[in-house]
Amino acid sequence: SQKIEQNSEALNIQEGKTATLTCNYTNYSPAYLQWYRQDPGRGPVFLLLIRENEKEKRKERLKVTFDTTLKQSLFHITASQPADSATYLCVRSGGGADGLTFGKGTHLIIQP
Amino acid sequence: GAVVSQHPSWVICKSGTSVKIECRSLDFQATTMFWYRQFPKQSLMLMATSNEGSKATYEQGVEKDKFLINHASLTLSTLTVTSAHPEDSSFYICSARGWGDSDYGYTFGSGTRLTVV
């Protein structure tokens, strides 16, 4: 079965530094990898999507990479702020109208 | 942007009763909606996929007679937890995706916290 693994359950970063979250997948490459933010008691909010033929995507302070050789995606938040504290979910999808496979998430804490 | 409204945000019910959760796409037509369940400190697990006008497709291990899904229109899907038991207590989240938004991921509802006592 296809799996998504986010290695760190929790990550503490000092404000202003770059936070880097790791996502690894097993078996074949997904058509898409997506990153979502989830706050306690809320549904996930979409952040970025990257296709398997794309190396990098950026959106404001966010950057995501996709390395099909390493079977890995990295998610970066530059100039991190306490408001960035949340759980970040790595998600694989095959494209089309299919459901998503979620990682367990990494709880990011940005300390002032 | 696309908005998915989910109600209620929380519900407490007695064991043996049924609870209905609604998921509405407010500004787009959702041909497909998904229902997920999330236990504390766990990832979201897909329960079922509902397509407008047809029967839902359930994931392995999910009882279709217990979790009834109805997707009667392009803007509304409902999940009914029948004969609820304490082990059904969880966070239920719906998600929707219309056509032509493959670059923008999926839109999720705010979730429903179900507590069965």
Side-chain angles (χ1 to χ4, degrees), chain A residues 36 38 46 49 51 96 98 103, chain B residues 38 43 97 102-104 106:
Chain A
Y36 289 77
Q38 187 177 23
F46 172 73
L49 177 152
R51 293 181 174 82
D98 55 352
Chain B
Q38 186 177 33
S43 63
R97 188 178 187 210
S102 61
D103 281 357
Y104 299 101
Y106 291 68

Side-chain angles (χ1 to χ4, degrees), chain A residues 4-92:
Chain A
I4 286 286
E5 294 172 351
Q6 293 184 252
N7 296 339
S8 299
E9 271 197 32
L11 186 62
N12 285 269
I13 300 290
Q14 192 171 4
E15 181 177 7
K17 303 290 186 183
T18 296
T20 298
L21 284 64
T22 305
C23 173
N24 294 289
Y25 61 89
T26 59
N27 298 328
Y28 60 83
S29 289
Y32 306 89
L33 278 173
Q34 305 182 35
W35 286 87
Y36 289 77
R37 168 181 174 144
Q38 187 177 23
D39 290 285
R42 308 291 294 177
V45 174
F46 172 73
L47 296 175
L48 278 171
L49 177 152
I50 187 165
R51 293 181 174 82
E52 62 177 328
N53 62 352
E54 297 175 320
K55 296 291 186 187
E56 183 180 294
K57 261 294 180 58
R58 290 176 184 263
K59 178 183 175 183
E60 297 172 355
R61 294 185 295 113
L62 309 180
K63 184 178 84 170
V64 63
T65 62
F66 195 162
D67 189 325
T68 55
T69 301
L70 294 178
K71 294 191 174 183
Q72 183 180 83
S73 175
L74 298 179
F75 177 78
H76 307 270
I77 304 176
T78 59
S80 59
Q81 305 165 2
D84 295 327
S85 299
T87 296
Y88 290 85
L89 305 170
C90 176
V91 183
R92 71 180 293 158

Side-chain angles (χ1 to χ4, degrees), chain B residues 3-45:
Chain B
V3 177
V4 170
S5 175
Q6 186 174 343
H7 292 283
S9 55
W10 60 270
V11 58
I12 300 173
C13 72
K14 289 185 178 180
S15 188
T17 61
S18 295
V19 172
K20 180 185 283 189
I21 303 170
E22 290 190 350
C23 181
R24 294 179 184 273
S25 56
L26 296 187
D27 50 1
F28 67 105
Q29 292 183 332
T31 53
T32 304
M33 288 186 173
F34 304 92
W35 288 95
Y36 294 86
R37 181 166 53 182
Q38 186 177 33
F39 292 104
K41 297 190 183 297
Q42 297 294 314
S43 63
L44 278 75
M45 295 299 294

